Amino acid sequence: MSKLCGNCGTILSDEAQFCNQCGQKAEDWITCKCCGAHVPAGTKFCTQCGAPVSDGNQQDFGANDLGGGFQNSPPPFWANTPRRWFIGKIIVGVTGIIFALLILAVMFGETGQQVRQGYLTQYDASITVEEAFDNRFRNCEWSTERKNGSDYVIFHGYDPEMLLDWVVTFTVYDDSFEVSRIEVDGTDVTSDIEMYYLLSYIYTGNLDELMSDMFLAAMFLA
């Protein structure tokens, strides 16, 4: 067993009590035969490979074992840090990420449910938005989006009567929501009156009435 200054790395004689270079108290160190790591005497397990540091797995070291450069390089800070410390840090980090993702999932889930289970009472107060849209469209998909501080619920569906794809965007507020955009077959509907007729069609399913209303709206807007 040899002595080593834990402060500056100087190898000392077996009788030395203090370092002759920096004045710090000398410490007994041993070398793990499994991985070659230098650990304080009395260590039961190697801090680098985890192997037991028993009588059969330790050796004294001298200048030849350490190499010329080690005398000026003290052991790294993690040399005596238990592996369970690093594992604990990893577990805490992963747990935090999972918790944050769960919070986001709950927030967006509540936003989507506010619209899907809500009502557009000006068209029909007896069925939910989701029921009305499921009755009218096929391949229904709902998604949520947060942009510029606002929450949106976006519906995608295929109308088997018109043979066209629809995209309906809802803007969600604290205790209410509204339809803010409708896109039919890639064309944006911008006027309030046209959006009203299209939403009425979703609830009534009367395509002939929609065509008549949209024709009148086009004449009015012209």
Side-chain angles (χ1 to χ4, degrees):
M1 184 178 297
S2 301
K3 288 191 174 181
L4 175 74
C5 177
N7 182 54
C8 67
T10 300
I11 300 174
L12 306 172
S13 64
D14 293 343
E15 296 79 16
Q17 298 298 317
F18 294 90
C19 178
N20 59 7
Q21 298 297 319
C22 66
Q24 294 294 317
K25 184 175 177 61
E27 299 178 3
D28 293 330
W29 287 68
I30 56 178
T31 301
C32 173
K33 288 186 177 180
C34 290
C35 67
H38 304 301
V39 296
T43 300
K44 294 183 179 181
F45 294 91
C46 177
T47 58
Q48 300 302 303
C49 67
V53 184
S54 60
D55 292 339
N57 182 28
Q58 64 183 35
Q59 62 183 14
D60 295 343
F61 60 85
N64 293 333
D65 298 316
L66 293 173
F70 186 80
Q71 293 190 16
N72 295 323
S73 302
F77 76 94
W78 40 262
N80 296 315
T81 303
R83 287 189 299 172
R84 61 178 177 271
W85 183 87
F86 294 102
I87 295 175
K89 288 292 185 181
I90 294 173
I91 292 175
V92 170
V94 172
T95 302
I97 293 173
I98 294 175
F99 185 70
L101 292 176
L102 288 175
I103 291 177
L104 290 175
V106 170
M107 290 175 59
F108 283 119
E110 291 178 350
T111 299
Q113 289 300 314
Q114 180 180 345
V115 172
R116 297 170 66 173
Q117 300 304 315
Y119 296 86
L120 292 174
T121 55
Q122 63 270 44
Y123 304 102
D124 192 333
S126 64
I127 61 175
T128 65
V129 171
E130 184 173 28
E131 290 172 335
F133 279 57
D134 284 346
N135 290 338
R136 176 56 41 215
F137 299 100
R138 301 293 180 267
N139 304 325
C140 300
E141 295 181 2
W142 296 85
S143 60
T144 56
E145 178 181 304
R146 185 172 182 82
K147 185 177 181 181
N148 298 327
S150 298
D151 293 321
Y152 301 93
V153 174
I154 304 171
F155 169 83
H156 294 259
Y158 176 76
D159 183 0
E161 296 293 331
M162 300 178 66
L163 304 179
L164 298 175
D165 292 316
W166 286 52
V167 179
V168 182
T169 302
F170 300 82
T171 301
V172 182
Y173 307 105
D174 290 338
D175 54 359
S176 63
F177 61 89
E178 66 176 357
V179 177
S180 54
R181 177 173 174 265
I182 297 178
E183 179 183 316
V184 180
D185 198 31
T187 301
D188 281 330
V189 177
T190 56
S191 70
D192 292 338
I193 188 170
E194 289 178 320
M195 290 178 60
Y196 176 83
Y197 289 146
L198 288 172
L199 290 170
S200 297
Y201 162 72
I202 292 175
Y203 280 81
T204 64
N206 192 327
L207 184 57
D208 292 335
E209 182 178 346
L210 172 64
M211 294 296 100
S212 176
D213 290 338
M214 293 297 286
F215 176 76
L216 293 175
M219 293 182 59
F220 175 78
L221 294 173

